[in-house]
Amino acid sequence: QVQLVESGGGLVQAGASLRLSCAASGGTFSSYVMAWFRQAPGKEREFVARITGSGASTDYADSVKDRFTISRDNTKNMVFLQMNSLKPEDTAVYYCAASRSYLISAIARTSYWGQGTQVTVSS
């Protein structure tokens, strides 16, 4: 089993930046694809970003491309999401996920999940 704990969320104004962190324990961290998803009130959980085990490849949702950056530090068993130029529509609970698959659909279905961290962006 893998346990994930997110942190770094907060209340910020539009245009501000936040860096989310996800600490993992259990399993072999470098063997997992790591991803960030988010869920806004009344909406379905949506994909935000993913990164391969080595960190060599990344992918982003169009809505956050060029604003968010996912990274990982396998020596610390951590994954990060740097969020710049935040918009009110970025407001959501952000979840860290660990999966043995790089497919977004498989990550959404079968990954381990953290408890989430709230990001609120005011206009």
Side-chain angles (χ1 to χ4, degrees), residues 3-68:
Q3 293 81 46
L4 305 171
V5 180
E6 301 96 333
S7 62
L11 308 173
V12 299
Q13 294 183 342
S17 297
L18 282 174
R19 190 191 193 212
L20 305 184
S21 299
C22 174
S25 60
T28 302
F29 183 69
S30 61
S31 70
Y32 286 96
V33 173
M34 300 299 296
W36 289 94
F37 286 72
R38 66 188 182 186
Q39 186 169 21
K43 296 184 177 180
E44 296 295 318
R45 182 180 59 192
E46 66 174 345
F47 166 77
V48 175
R50 58 182 170 176
I51 186 169
T52 55
S54 69
S57 297
T58 59
D59 186 54
Y60 302 89
D62 288 342
S63 59
V64 306
K65 183 175 58 179
D66 300 325
R67 297 190 298 120
F68 291 10

Side-chain angles (χ1 to χ4, degrees), residues 50-120:
R50 58 182 170 176
I51 186 169
T52 55
S54 69
S57 297
T58 59
D59 186 54
Y60 302 89
D62 288 342
S63 59
V64 306
K65 183 175 58 179
D66 300 325
R67 297 190 298 120
F68 291 10
T69 302
I70 188 171
S71 62
R72 67 192 297 160
D73 185 344
N74 287 348
T75 69
K76 299 179 180 179
N77 290 358
M78 296 191 72
V79 63
F80 308 96
L81 186 68
Q82 178 66 46
M83 306 185 296
N84 297 328
S85 301
L86 283 163
K87 305 174 180 179
E89 50 263 46
D90 295 318
T91 295
V93 177
Y94 283 71
Y95 296 93
C96 180
S99 176
R100 296 190 181 278
S101 175
Y102 194 63
L103 295 173
I104 294 174
S105 60
I107 295 171
R109 290 195 310 271
T110 66
S111 66
Y112 298 95
W113 298 94
Q115 84 290 346
T117 185
Q118 177 71 50
V119 172
T120 302

